[in-house]
Amino acid sequence: APPLFVGPMLAYPLATANFGYSSNALQTPDGNQVSWIVTGALGAGLQGERRGHFYGLEYEGIFSGYSESSDDSFFNSRVSAYGGHAFNLRNNVDFGVEYLDWKDPRSQDDPTQNRRNTLFATEPDQWHSTRIGANYVYGAPDARGRLECAACQTWLRFDNNGQELRDRDVLDLGASLAARVSPKTDLLVGITYTDFDYINQDPRAVAEGLDISSIETRYYAGAEWDITPKTATSLQVGLLNKDFDDNSSRSDYSRPFWVLDLEWSPRGRTNLLGGYSRYLYESVAYYPELVKTSLDDYVEVESLHAAWDEQWSPRLFSNITGYVNDENYTPGNRSDDVYGVFGNVTYHVNRWLGVGVNAYYRQRDSSERVFDYEDKGVGLTLNLGGLLGWGAKAPPACNVRRLIPNVRIY
């Protein structure tokens, strides 16, 4: 089928559907929340390029419905606009704007996804956010040196369940310098800065020295190199500092962090990935009584993950992904081991339709047993236009997060 153009811009649809079963959809400790879950995504995008300019607009609406609890069903929306300009071969600027109107599924807490424990809430947490980002790169793609600078502003607001105390403005700044020291090796140094400004804290909490606003700085060095023609790796190692306000009694943080990624492609249709990282995330647990404020100062997460992608034929693909997280809450002394595995097989019936089956297993073992859960499930996925290149194309609005890969700063 020929591509569809609207004026000078390429138009493309987004359409997927998943029909699944979960043995414990809400991740309760007793594991008795069996549910069938239907998820569908529908949207469209426009993308164009002209005389060094690159630009696009994309919308996606996502619906999730639960058979056993209609109150947990929700509809999420995402709107993204982005663009870029190459002034010349050495100077490039990209920008992005993203708006989310979102509901988090009711479940146990997950600091890596900024989700609190909502098992006792009557409805999912709803929030909206606006994010504006820009990225500047000096240096040609094959230059011996490249300078990258990025900035981003995020406004996050919660709309229900009394969660306005989690509202915050987040400013991200970052810069990195990469140098090619050999045809197969790049060295880099960088710094990122994040200002978490919680704008609706309980005044009594601030007066008692429990201000949760903070500033994080990360200083790092690293390398990217091709070990062999089929093996590539990257490593960032640095120091992460989290400083609370001078009037806050919360504990500052200063420890090393790292992000290690390894990719091995022993043959053209096989790709093996692995990674190991340690990073810091915002607390998502809050006191429910009287003085409302964060229960913990932060959550430190060490993560180990691996993936195997295989193309068995021109139309048959598979993926298996596994992970293990060690999550430690300070100063609450709570410690969680979270692990899981996900697998899927996709067959492209034709250029328009891909059909997939998937299965997963996940479990959390916590030092506080009320946070334990086990969940497993299966699903059937329909994807429209996979071989035509249809699907989400909008890049992340905040490129600061790309300077340190595979971690969620926000």
Side-chain angles (χ1 to χ4, degrees):
L4 174 64
F5 285 90
V6 177
M9 302 186 72
L10 171 68
Y12 57 92
L14 291 75
T16 60
N18 186 80
F19 308 89
Y21 163 85
S22 172
S23 68
N24 188 11
L26 302 186
Q27 301 175 352
T28 60
D30 55 15
N32 62 357
Q33 293 293 325
V34 174
S35 183
W36 293 94
I37 304 174
V38 177
T39 301
L42 190 64
L46 295 170
Q47 191 176 82
E49 185 175 1
R50 184 183 181 189
R51 297 179 181 178
H53 295 275
F54 178 77
Y55 48 90
L57 177 67
E58 189 172 282
Y59 169 79
E60 185 176 26
I62 305 170
F63 169 79
S64 290
Y66 294 73
S67 65
E68 301 303 313
S69 175
S70 59
D71 291 339
D72 287 304
S73 301
F74 55 85
F75 182 83
N76 292 335
S77 296
R78 173 181 62 86
V79 180
S80 299
Y82 56 93
H85 179 67
F87 296 98
N88 51 49
L89 188 60
R90 294 183 177 180
N91 291 273
N92 293 270
V93 174
D94 301 316
F95 66 88
V97 180
E98 180 186 68
Y99 176 80
L100 300 177
D101 185 5
W102 217 258
K103 287 185 178 181
D104 292 327
R106 278 206 309 141
S107 65
Q108 293 268 17
D109 53 2
D110 184 350
T112 67
Q113 298 298 318
N114 192 40
R115 295 177 184 170
R116 72 179 183 106
N117 189 323
T118 50
L119 291 183
F120 300 103
T122 57
E123 60 181 346
D125 282 349
Q126 181 173 354
W127 52 271
H128 63 277
S129 70
T130 302
R131 180 175 294 167
I132 301 176
N135 192 66
Y136 169 74
V137 178
Y138 177 77
D142 57 350
R144 300 207 44 179
R146 281 168 60 88
L147 172 66
E148 184 169 354
C149 301
C152 181
Q153 178 69 48
T154 302
W155 297 269
L156 172 65
R157 301 293 183 267
F158 285 83
D159 301 319
N160 67 343
N161 291 340
Q163 291 300 299
E164 64 278 357
L165 73 167
R166 297 172 63 196
D167 292 354
R168 55 188 177 268
D169 298 339
V170 183
L171 173 64
D172 290 312
L173 302 172
S176 69
L177 177 63
R180 180 159 296 169
V181 297
S182 75
K184 297 182 179 181
T185 304
D186 290 349
L187 301 180
L188 62 92
V189 294
I191 179 173
T192 62
Y193 167 98
T194 301
D195 183 354
F196 294 99
D197 182 15
Y198 288 78
I199 63 171
N200 285 326
Q201 297 187 75
D202 189 329
R204 294 168 296 178
V206 176
E208 293 180 15
L210 296 175
D211 192 338
I212 194 64
S213 296
S214 67
I215 292 176
E216 290 185 8
T217 51
R218 310 160 201 87
Y219 311 91
Y220 64 94
E224 299 178 357
W225 65 95
D226 297 328
I227 302 175
T228 71
K230 298 180 179 180
T231 306
T233 188
S234 67
L235 172 67
Q236 287 84 33
V237 178
L239 179 67
L240 192 158
N241 296 323
K242 186 178 186 69
D243 299 312
F244 292 97
D245 187 85
D246 291 340
N247 296 322
S248 177
S249 62
R250 296 186 180 276
S251 302
D252 292 341
Y253 177 97
S254 182
R255 292 192 67 186
F257 77 92
W258 57 81
V259 181
L260 170 66
D261 287 301
L262 179 66
E263 181 176 1
W264 180 41
S265 300
R267 53 180 183 163
R269 295 183 174 182
T270 301
N271 198 38
L272 302 174
L273 303 171
Y276 178 45
S277 63
R278 179 163 80 182
Y279 216 74
L280 203 66
Y281 295 87
E282 294 293 276
S283 171
V284 291
Y286 283 72
Y287 288 113
E289 307 89 3
L290 299 177
V291 178
K292 295 183 177 181
T293 188
S294 173
L295 179 63
D296 298 294
D297 299 343
Y298 44 77
V299 184
E300 184 185 72
V301 178
E302 287 192 34
S303 180
L304 181 67
H305 67 271
W308 171 29
D309 297 315
E310 187 75 27
Q311 181 179 353
W312 301 96
S313 73
R315 294 189 176 187
L316 184 63
F317 302 81
S318 68
N319 166 267
I320 298 177
T321 302
Y323 64 91
V324 178
N325 285 359
D326 179 20
E327 303 177 355
N328 294 285
Y329 296 69
T330 299
N333 295 322
R334 172 183 159 192
S335 179
D336 296 349
D337 293 324
V338 184
Y339 46 91
V341 62
F342 173 86
N344 73 79
V345 177
T346 301
Y347 179 75
H348 291 281
V349 179
N350 51 43
R351 298 182 67 198
W352 297 88
L353 178 63
V355 179
V357 293
N358 58 75
Y360 71 87
Y361 176 85
R362 57 192 177 193
Q363 181 173 334
R364 178 162 71 185
D365 295 325
S366 177
S367 59
E368 301 180 23
R369 297 307 177 190
V370 68
F371 298 112
D372 288 355
Y373 70 82
E374 181 183 37
D375 180 28
K376 50 186 175 292
V378 295
L380 172 67
T381 300
L382 304 178
N383 192 330
L384 182 63
L387 291 182
L388 295 174
W390 295 349
K393 300 180 184 294
C398 275
N399 281 320
V400 177
R401 289 154 178 77
R402 188 166 57 81
L403 298 181
I404 304 176
N406 292 337
V407 294
R408 179 173 174 173
I409 298 174
Y410 162 69

